[in-house]
Amino acid sequence: MRLRVEFTTEPFDLDEAPAHAVVAREVVEAAELDEVDVGPFGNTAEGGADAVLTAVDALLRRSLEAGATRISLQVNVVEESAAGEGER
């Protein structure tokens, strides 16, 4: 099974990436995921279920430890045949 996670961490700081946002980016970039897209207002990552769920666990724990006061996330099942075809 493939999963896609979309997430944001708060509080926002438009002048400089807060520590919790940097940590979240490091977690998903270091994870064994197939696709990672990090942006200023939202982030997505996709991969096998075990890899995504492991990354989400680390993301939540480490971002909260780094000062996040809110983490919003959504996890979706992605059909194998739809991966990369815009059906997200």
Side-chain angles (χ1 to χ4, degrees), residues 7-70:
F7 66 92
T8 59
T9 62
E10 296 179 41
F12 294 114
D13 183 341
L14 297 178
D15 295 326
E16 183 178 334
H20 58 81
V22 172
V23 166
R25 180 178 61 227
E26 291 172 351
V27 167
V28 294
E29 288 178 343
E32 295 181 19
L33 301 170
D34 301 330
E35 298 179 33
V36 174
D37 183 21
V38 177
F41 300 107
N43 310 285
T44 60
E46 188 174 310
D50 287 339
V52 170
L53 295 174
T54 297
V56 166
D57 178 63
L59 167 76
L60 292 171
R61 293 174 188 277
R62 293 192 51 210
S63 295
L64 291 168
E65 289 171 358
T69 57
R70 177 179 176 151

